[in-house]
Amino acid sequence: MSEVKISAETRTEFGKGAARRIRRDSKVPGVLYGHGTEPLHLTLPGHDLLLALRTPNVLISLDIDGKSNELAIPKAVQRDAIKGFLEHVDLLLVKRGEKVTVEIPVHTEGELAAGGNLLEHVLNALPVETEATHIPESVTVSVEGLEAGASILAKDITLPKGTTLAVEEDAVVLQVLASQAEEAAEGEAAVGEEVAEA
């Protein structure tokens, strides 16, 4: 996983008015915390941060006031509900070699068995524990040929070296649901049998 370098400034103004002024300058207010340190209030460049956050669990190398460098991962991101711009970001301080618990996106490949069945993502992201500087961007799961009723559990997913599950092994990640047309046909067949029996 690559590091993204972002320059940040410490901020001393707080409250809604200060946050609005920061956003007017195309910047984003944020907080850096972790390792028992006092939370550090920062101002970050909006465009650079937006680009960085396109990568899930991105590792950010913060150059703070040109004096200190810290590594962080995004922990909570607030966006404007309508326009989608960044309103605030919480960053978690991490150290090289340290293990962190994060959620990584689950991608699928392959085609389900014929029949118009539906694939349900019970978990869109898989909670894992991994080294802060080697967070996998995602995991890919094959659903090739799976039929209605099949499911993939957390323990069935192959994780990169050094990454372990942070969720129950038997947690359902993906499941295949029968198409409604198929269910309706089964229901009609059952009704037909009952009528024949009567």
Side-chain angles (χ1 to χ4, degrees):
M1 162 174 258
S2 58
E3 287 178 28
V4 177
K5 288 184 166 52
I6 292 182
S7 296
E9 303 162 0
T10 50
R11 61 187 169 97
T12 51
E13 285 189 304
F14 307 104
K16 288 185 178 178
R20 271 197 295 271
R21 280 193 295 278
I22 290 168
R23 289 188 207 106
R24 263 202 304 269
D25 290 339
S26 300
K27 295 180 179 178
V28 181
V31 177
L32 175 67
Y33 62 90
H35 290 287
T37 59
E38 283 288 313
L40 187 60
H41 296 269
L42 301 171
T43 301
L44 301 119
H47 183 67
D48 292 355
L49 186 60
L50 193 63
L51 290 177
L53 293 175
R54 287 184 179 170
T55 303
N57 300 310
V58 64
L59 185 65
I60 299 173
S61 175
L62 290 170
D63 178 8
I64 302 170
D65 295 331
K67 295 175 188 169
S68 65
N69 271 293
E70 300 288 359
L71 286 177
I73 56 173
K75 205 60 186 167
V77 179
Q78 293 172 19
R79 296 177 187 269
D80 180 90
I82 297 165
K83 296 180 181 172
F85 61 77
L86 297 172
E87 290 196 325
H88 191 274
V89 64
D90 285 3
L91 299 168
L92 180 65
L93 191 63
V94 295
K95 304 284 183 201
R96 292 187 192 281
E98 174 189 7
K99 292 264 188 178
V100 291
T101 301
V102 293
E103 292 188 348
I104 55 174
V106 177
H107 298 307
T108 59
E109 63 181 10
E111 297 289 325
L112 297 176
N117 296 323
L118 303 171
L119 181 66
E120 181 189 16
H121 285 255
V122 180
L123 294 178
N124 284 318
L126 188 65
V128 297
E129 187 180 73
T130 188
E131 204 175 303
T133 51
H134 293 93
I135 298 173
E137 289 190 16
S138 62
V139 286
T140 302
V141 181
S142 173
V143 295
E144 187 65 42
L146 292 184
E147 298 184 347
S151 58
I152 292 176
L153 308 180
K155 66 182 177 186
D156 300 330
I157 296 174
T158 304
L159 297 173
K161 190 179 172 190
T163 301
T164 55
L165 289 173
V167 66
E168 292 291 326
E169 286 190 349
D170 293 331
V172 176
V173 180
L174 301 163
Q175 62 185 7
V176 183
L177 306 175
S179 68
Q180 289 179 339
E182 207 172 284
E183 286 176 0
E186 283 172 11
E188 283 167 17
V191 169
E193 283 171 20
E194 285 169 15
V195 170
E197 283 171 10

